[in-house]
Amino acid sequence: MTWATIYNDKHSIFEMFSTSHIVVLLLFLLGSIVIFICRQKLKQVKWRPIEIGIALSLFFFELAFHVWLLASTYWDISDSVPIELCSISLFLAIILLLTGNRTIYELLLFTALLGATQALITPVLYYDFPHIRFFYFFYTHIMMIWVALYFTWVKGYRPTIRSVGKVFVFLNILLPIVIVVNKLVDGNYMFLSHKPRTPSLLDYLGPYPWYILSLEGLLLILSLVVWLLLREKNNKVEANKLHDKS
């Protein structure tokens, strides 16, 4: 049974920009603002146990979601394997929380801010609050972004221009792999076979397969924007150099 079948369950259909959706978006926005405003105070907190706890919670939510799919007979190889971009971002977030690896941070920063943010605004979601699917979707997507912002504003990690190249290469290595998987299982992972049936950004990027090329160009442009906004500023770099010399 696929998500198209689940969609026909009229008792709990999620609606974009409904009350539940707006409340979640406001909570996400509020949390992001708090991380930024309180970043100096947060630096003084010993976060290691919390980092591990959040990593375990993300793993638990992913595991619980697949258990629910299996128990409900909804698990299907064509749409349930965790190789969507946001699923990959979830595992990147877990690895980053556990290891603090800077390359993983670079990949997560762009995939979360560009992928998970768009997913929050235009969710491919069928079950509304208080279904497990609702909690799984919003908790994991919000945490991916918050983890990336936390490592940027609190831990002091910053993207470089090379980070843009890394994420571009990373995603273009994934692209042909996912396309092959889609052909083998008749799937639509990463929306590389067709656009989602619910409204999304892809609706404005042209017909299949041209929207994939449009996404490539948009990815590069937005990645450069993210880098410009979050990169280490020159004055800070110089200040750090002067401090080191003194």
Side-chain angles (χ1 to χ4, degrees):
M1 188 176 295
T2 64
W3 288 113
T5 305
I6 300 174
Y7 186 74
N8 290 327
D9 181 359
K10 301 297 182 181
H11 298 292
S12 53
I13 294 294
F14 173 83
E15 294 183 9
M16 194 184 309
F17 302 124
S18 60
T19 300
S20 60
H21 188 198
I22 292 174
V23 168
V24 169
L25 291 178
L26 290 175
L27 289 173
F28 161 69
L29 183 60
L30 177 62
S32 302
I33 292 172
V34 168
I35 295 172
F36 178 74
I37 292 177
C38 301
R39 62 192 183 279
Q40 296 302 329
K41 292 182 179 179
L42 293 174
K43 290 179 181 179
Q44 302 171 13
V45 179
K46 294 182 179 179
W47 284 100
R48 190 57 188 156
I50 300 175
E51 291 170 1
I52 295 174
I54 293 173
L56 293 176
S57 73
L58 288 171
F59 178 79
F60 170 78
F61 264 89
E62 181 69 15
L63 180 62
F65 175 59
H66 284 277
V67 169
W68 171 76
L69 285 175
L70 289 167
S72 305
T73 68
Y74 292 149
W75 200 96
D76 191 283
I77 195 171
S78 67
D79 58 14
S80 302
V81 179
I83 57 172
E84 298 282 7
L85 183 58
C86 287
S87 297
I88 293 169
S89 295
L90 184 148
F91 290 114
L92 289 173
I94 293 173
I95 296 170
L96 178 59
L97 286 165
L98 294 178
T99 68
N101 183 278
R102 289 186 177 272
T103 298
I104 298 298
Y105 159 77
E106 292 171 316
L107 299 179
L108 175 66
L109 180 68
F110 293 100
T111 58
L113 293 188
L114 301 181
T117 301
Q118 189 271 333
L120 283 178
I121 298 171
T122 58
V124 180
L125 182 63
Y126 305 110
Y127 280 119
D128 202 352
F129 177 88
H131 197 274
I132 183 177
R133 171 65 174 158
F134 178 92
F135 285 106
Y136 162 80
F137 181 91
F138 285 112
Y139 177 77
T140 56
H141 283 76
I142 287 174
M143 289 310 304
M144 294 172 208
I145 302 169
W146 281 355
V147 167
L149 295 180
Y150 159 74
F151 270 83
T152 301
W153 292 333
V154 179
K155 301 281 282 187
Y157 288 40
R158 293 288 176 170
T160 66
I161 189 63
R162 293 181 63 185
S163 306
V164 176
K166 287 180 183 179
V167 74
F168 197 76
V169 170
F170 173 71
L171 292 178
N172 278 280
I173 290 174
L174 281 178
L175 193 85
I177 297 173
V178 176
I179 288 175
V180 170
V181 171
N182 283 337
K183 294 292 184 183
L184 292 175
V185 302
D186 191 25
N188 189 33
Y189 292 108
M190 294 177 65
F191 305 119
L192 294 177
S193 297
H194 58 78
K195 297 179 184 180
R197 293 180 176 85
T198 53
S200 73
L201 175 65
L202 300 184
D203 295 333
Y204 303 96
L205 298 182
Y208 177 86
W210 304 113
Y211 71 82
I212 298 176
L213 294 177
S214 299
L215 272 176
E216 291 268 10
L218 189 61
L219 167 67
L220 184 58
I221 293 171
L222 293 180
S223 295
L224 289 171
V225 171
V226 170
W227 166 68
L228 285 170
L229 291 174
L230 298 179
R231 75 191 191 282
E232 191 74 64
K233 302 298 188 292
N234 290 333
N235 58 340
K236 292 183 179 180
V237 174
E238 293 300 324
N240 289 336
K241 287 182 179 178
L242 292 173
H243 181 268
D244 292 339
K245 289 180 180 179
S246 62

